[in-house]
């Protein structure tokens, strides 16, 4: 089945499963825009009699070399940009809502579930997760295909450049930290290191490689996403992780110290000018996302390390044991060290505060 038909079919189903108004890539309409593009038409038609219709098959001198297409570009890229940011926004809020139900505990969970009229049992949550993962994947594939088509029709690299622009502006669909959270949610729900989903529109897989501290997500159309779960500051596994607006993930304590704020003040106290320690981008702190599911996954995975596991890993290689927790209570140690750090910081803070008020 052609992707256009598959996507149309998907959208019909999506309308029933998700909100009627949820954003999506207008694949079919944008394809029509490309088809009706006049700028490059003379070249296309002159060649159509002698050679195949694929622009990529034409010799270089017959290709349209225009840097931009005044007809397509105006509608095309601005529309795509808006759709992408709407999709990312919709996806983020829906995943957040889903995970709130999952990670909420005790009374909070009870109240949330009561509000949902007890509809959200475990299975329903997993089902909603599948719908959301399919939503972001299908739209990302549609985006990929339409940009490729654009470049093919215009034989340009504008589509490719647009993709990089989306990457720098962090509205690339698959770049959202909520996708990592959804992957972690699946692993947490299954209680395993690997889970597979046979969606209606393809195969999904989420895999946690403990020894390399890498989580991999495989989506249809051969999309493979890899997430390094090592904090670039402390070089240990991310603990109480937060993703900054640029997508880089750090332990909360590391992200706090990088922004020169105290742990008890939290990342919200960071100045908007604070830069990401990896990409040096500013304005990334206000857009932070607390990775609760990922934190839960790490805790569950590293707390449950049994001694026999440890023994069998010891003999493999030094690199593996370095990443792999040395003790059963590795997580407890991390928790303790975070707490001690917080107490120490607040003491220092109040001492300084008292000292300042005394000297005034
Ligand atoms: Zn760290
Ligand atoms: Zn960054």
């Amino acid at each position: 089945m052609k992707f256009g038909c598959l996507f149309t079919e998907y959208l019909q189903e999506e309308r029933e499963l998700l909100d009627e108004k949820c954003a999506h890539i207008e694949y079919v309409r944008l394809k029509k825009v490309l088809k009706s593009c006049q700028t490059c038409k003379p070249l296309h038609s002159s060649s159509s009699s002698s050679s195949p219709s694929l622009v990529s098959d034409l010799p270089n001198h017959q290709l349209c070399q225009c840097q931009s297409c005044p007809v397509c570009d105006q509608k095309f890229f601005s529309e795509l940009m808006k759709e992408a940011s709407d999709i990312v926004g919709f996806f983020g809020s829906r995943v957040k809502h889903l995970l709130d139900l999952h990670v909420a505990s005790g009374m909070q969970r009870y109240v949330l579930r009561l509000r949902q009229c007890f509809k959200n049992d475990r299975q329903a949550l997993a089902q909603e997760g599948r719908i959301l993962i399919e939503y972001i994947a299908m739209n990302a594939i549609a985006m990929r295909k339409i940009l490729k088509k654009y470049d093919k029709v215009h034989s340009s690299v504008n589509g490719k450049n647009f993709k990089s622009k989306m990457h720098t502006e962090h509205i690339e669909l698959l770049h959202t930290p909520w996708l990592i959270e959804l992957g972690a949610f699946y692993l947490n729900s299954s209680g395993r290191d690997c889970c597979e989903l046979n969606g209606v529109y393809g195969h999904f897989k989420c895999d946690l490689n403990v020894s390399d501290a890498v989580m991999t997500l495989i989506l249809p159309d051969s999309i493979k996403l890899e997430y390094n779960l090592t904090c670039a500051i402390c070089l240990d596994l991310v603990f109480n992780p937060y993703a900054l607006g640029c997508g880089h993930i750090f332990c909360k304590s590391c992200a706090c110290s990088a922004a020169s704020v105290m742990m008890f003040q939290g990342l919200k106290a960071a100045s908007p000018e604070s830069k990401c320690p990896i990409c040096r981008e500013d304005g990334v702190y206000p857009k932070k996302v607390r990775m609760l599911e990922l934190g839960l996954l790490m805790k569950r995975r590293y707390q449950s390390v049994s001694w026999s596991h440890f023994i069998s890993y010891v003999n493999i290689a030094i690199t593996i044991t370095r990443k792999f927790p040395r003790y059963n209570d590795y997580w407890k140690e991390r928790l303790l060290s975070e707490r001690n750090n917080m107490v120490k910081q607040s003491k220092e803070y109040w001492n300084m505060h008292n000292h300042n008020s005394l000297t005034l």
Side-chain angles (χ1 to χ4, degrees), residues 143-213:
M143 171 77 90
R144 257 190 183 195
K145 293 214 184 268
I146 201 75
L147 288 177
K148 233 182 185 175
K149 195 134 218 138
Y150 178 97
D151 279 351
K152 211 172 193 179
V153 168
H154 300 92
S155 78
S156 71
V157 287
N158 292 346
K160 228 177 168 180
N161 291 343
F162 177 75
K163 224 173 142 192
S164 340
K165 192 180 164 206
M166 292 217 312
H167 187 80
T168 23
E169 293 187 14
H170 312 299
I171 50 164
E172 202 177 35
L173 302 187
L174 300 175
H175 197 247
T176 163
W178 291 108
L179 187 56
I180 308 175
E181 279 288 88
L182 206 50
F185 158 76
Y186 265 105
L187 293 178
N188 286 334
S189 311
S190 70
R192 296 196 301 263
D193 282 352
C194 177
C195 70
E196 298 192 34
L197 261 177
N198 273 319
V200 186
Y201 301 95
H203 189 72
F204 301 81
K205 191 175 166 193
C206 187
D207 180 67
L208 174 72
N209 182 330
V210 179
S211 48
D212 291 338

Side-chain angles (χ1 to χ4, degrees), residues 231-239 250-255 334:
C231 170
I233 298 178
C234 63
L235 303 178
D236 212 332
L237 296 162
V238 282
F239 183 83
F250 304 96
C251 315
K252 184 186 176 186
S253 55
C254 295
R334 294 286 308 261

Side-chain angles (χ1 to χ4, degrees), residues 253-270:
S253 55
C254 295
C256 279
S257 66
S260 310
V261 291
M262 308 271 180
M263 274 282 282
F264 68 90
Q265 293 173 305
L267 292 180
K268 59 182 181 304

Side-chain angles (χ1 to χ4, degrees), residues 26-34 75 79 83 146:
E26 292 280 357
Y27 183 80
V28 176
R29 206 165 51 76
L30 287 172
K31 220 174 133 186
K32 272 187 198 148
V33 172
L34 290 182
K75 288 188 219 164
E79 194 170 297
E83 281 163 10
I146 201 75

